[in-house]
C-alpha cells in the first residue's frame, strides 16, 4: 500500500473515533455540549482544511476498501462449479448454426469448399486455322 492510502486510512479512523469520544464525554458530564456560531464555523473550517485534497462534497473512501477493490479475485472455482452443474445437451444442428453465425467475414475464417478440378481447356482453333490467319493477316 502506498503512504497516501495509509495516511487516508488513519485520518478516517481518527475521524470515526472522534465522534465516539465526544459522545462518551457528553454522557459523562451529563450536560449536552452546545457550541456558539463562531465555534461551529471554526470547526467546520478546520474540517474543510483537513480534507482539502478531496473533491467538493465528496467523502474520501476508505483505504482498506480501495485496497480490497483492487485485489485480483479468482473466479475459477465458482465458474467450474457452475459449468459442471449445468449439463444441457444441445442438438448438433444448433451448434453448427451458432458456429456458422459467429464466423467472421475474413477469408481466413471461411470454410474452404471442395472445388472440382478444371480440365485443361483445349483451344477451339486448329493449327490449320492459325496458318490461314497468319497468311491473311501478315500476307505471307
Amino acid at each position: 500500500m502506498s503512504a497516501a492510502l495509509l495516511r487516508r486510512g488513519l485520518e478516517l479512523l481518527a475521524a470515526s473515533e472522534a465522534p465516539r469520544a465526544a459522545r462518551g464525554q457528553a454522557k459523562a458530564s451529563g450536560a449536552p455540549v452546545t457550541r456558539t456560531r463562531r465555534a461551529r464555523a471554526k470547526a467546520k473550517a478546520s474540517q474543510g482544511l483537513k480534507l482539502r485534497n478531496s473533491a467538493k462534497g465528496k467523502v474520501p473512501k476508505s483505504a482498506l476498501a480501495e485496497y480490497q477493490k483492487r485485489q485480483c479475485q479468482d473466479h475459477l472455482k465458482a465458474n467450474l462449479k457452475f459449468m459442471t452443474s449445468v449439463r444441457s445437451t444441445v442438438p448438433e444442428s444448433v451448434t453448427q448454426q451458432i458456429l456458422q453465425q459467429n464466423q467472421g467475414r475474413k477469408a481466413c475464417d471461411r470454410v474452404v469448399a471442395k472445388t472440382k478440378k478444371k480440365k485443361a481447356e483445349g483451344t477451339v482453333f486448329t493449327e490449320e486455322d492459325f496458318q490461314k490467319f497468319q497468311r491473311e493477316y501478315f500476307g505471307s
Side-chain angles (χ1 to χ4, degrees), residues 1-11 63:
M1 270 196 263
S2 68
L5 283 175
L6 284 174
R7 262 187 261 115
R8 178 65 56 84
L10 290 173
E11 287 174 5

Side-chain angles (χ1 to χ4, degrees), residues 40 45 50-51 70 73 78 81 101 107 110 119 133 137:
R40 277 190 227 130
K50 188 176 183 181
L51 301 174
R70 285 184 168 71
Q73 293 180 350
K81 186 177 180 181
Q101 288 173 351
R110 293 189 181 167
K119 295 180 180 177
F133 173 75
Y137 189 76

Side-chain angles (χ1 to χ4, degrees), residues 90-103:
V90 181
E92 183 69 24
S93 61
V94 175
T95 56
Q96 289 300 324
Q97 185 180 7
I98 291 170
L99 288 172
Q100 185 180 7
Q101 288 173 351
N102 288 335
Q103 283 181 341

Side-chain angles (χ1 to χ4, degrees), residues 10-113:
L10 290 173
E11 287 174 5
L12 290 172
L13 184 63
S16 66
E17 291 294 323
R20 290 181 190 167
R23 280 189 231 134
Q25 289 174 356
K27 288 180 184 175
S29 66
V33 178
T34 56
R35 291 185 176 179
T36 61
R37 286 183 186 173
R38 283 185 183 174
R40 277 190 227 130
K42 190 174 183 181
K44 197 173 186 181
S46 68
Q47 189 179 22
L49 292 174
K50 188 176 183 181
L51 301 174
R52 187 181 313 161
N53 60 352
S54 65
K56 189 173 185 178
K58 300 257 182 167
V59 179
K61 295 179 183 174
S62 163
L64 183 61
E66 287 291 321
Y67 176 74
Q68 288 173 346
K69 185 173 81 173
R70 285 184 168 71
Q71 285 296 314
C72 289
Q73 293 180 350
D74 188 20
H75 301 286
L76 179 67
K77 288 182 182 178
N79 289 343
L80 285 175
K81 186 177 180 181
F82 175 76
M83 295 298 261
T84 55
S85 67
V86 178
R87 296 265 186 204
S88 63
T89 56
V90 181
E92 183 69 24
S93 61
V94 175
T95 56
Q96 289 300 324
Q97 185 180 7
I98 291 170
L99 288 172
Q100 185 180 7
Q101 288 173 351
N102 288 335
Q103 283 181 341
R105 298 181 66 184
K106 295 179 185 175
C108 63
D109 293 336
R110 293 189 181 167
V111 178
V112 178

